[in-house]
Amino acid sequence: MYKLQSTNFHIAEVNTSIENNEYYIFKEFIKPYMINKKNDVSYNLTISLEKSKNIISKDSSGNPLAYVMMVKAKVFINSNENLLISKSYKKKFKYSRSSSIFDLNLYEKKLEENLIKKIVDEIINSIISLNKNGSTSKKNKINNIKI
């Protein structure tokens, strides 16, 4: 995570078409960047997030041995009504079954948060790159893309 004092932007709003658990986790991680500072660049994000969990191996009795959790995100970053970035992210992690369902559920919750945090970090990196490259100017805008 970057020092907020060193950023010259803020996220004005975050929109989604599906307000699922992943979206609320995302909003918590992006919240520190939603503080409006004087003379900084304002960005709007539209995001769709989805999580999947699949069994990747089973024992001889058919019980799960290993899983893979994947979080996918499609992000659109706008500034001044101009689409600047349209990008997809996919983070996944393989893990083994726990003997305790309670422990497995806690582990999966933390894992989901970590995967979403990695996506947030990549989005912030993209915005920082925009600012460094001066890509918020009108010559680099992308128009007429439906979200």
Side-chain angles (χ1 to χ4, degrees), residues 69-80:
M69 182 181 290
M70 183 169 20
V71 176
K72 294 181 189 177
K74 179 71 177 170
V75 180
F76 300 94
I77 301 172
N78 298 282
S79 182
N80 298 322

Side-chain angles (χ1 to χ4, degrees), residues 2-137:
Y2 296 91
K3 290 184 178 180
L4 293 176
Q5 297 86 356
S6 65
T7 61
N8 63 343
F9 67 89
H10 75 277
I11 308 298
E13 63 181 51
V14 178
N15 298 305
T16 188
S17 57
I18 303 171
E19 291 189 15
N20 54 19
N21 187 52
E22 293 80 32
Y23 171 71
Y24 291 111
I25 294 169
F26 177 87
K27 287 256 316 204
E28 283 301 311
F29 284 123
I30 207 81
K31 190 184 287 185
Y33 297 95
M34 295 184 79
I35 299 168
N36 189 354
K37 298 177 295 244
K38 191 174 182 179
N39 298 324
D40 61 358
V41 180
S42 174
Y43 295 100
N44 296 323
L45 271 61
T46 302
I47 187 162
S48 63
L49 288 151
E50 70 178 66
K51 174 189 78 169
S52 63
K53 174 183 145 183
N54 295 309
I55 299 168
I56 56 174
S57 69
K58 296 181 180 183
D59 64 16
S60 58
S61 301
N63 298 317
L65 287 177
Y67 302 93
V68 63
M69 182 181 290
M70 183 169 20
V71 176
K72 294 181 189 177
K74 179 71 177 170
V75 180
F76 300 94
I77 301 172
N78 298 282
S79 182
N80 298 322
E81 304 292 324
N82 299 318
L83 180 62
L84 302 173
I85 295 175
S86 173
K87 192 169 183 179
S88 294
Y89 299 89
K90 180 169 66 171
K91 299 293 175 197
K92 62 183 176 179
F93 189 80
K94 296 176 185 175
Y95 57 100
S96 299
R97 181 188 79 183
S98 173
S99 58
S100 164
I101 298 296
F102 179 77
D103 289 343
L104 181 62
N105 287 337
L106 287 177
Y107 183 74
E108 287 174 343
K109 182 175 169 38
K110 191 66 176 165
L111 178 59
E112 178 182 17
E113 290 173 359
N114 289 340
L115 294 174
I116 293 170
K117 174 71 171 98
K118 287 180 182 181
I119 290 171
V120 168
D121 288 345
E122 287 189 25
I123 292 168
I124 297 303
N125 280 336
S126 295
I127 293 172
I128 288 171
S129 293
L130 273 176
N131 286 336
K132 285 183 181 176
N133 296 332
S135 297
T136 56
S137 67

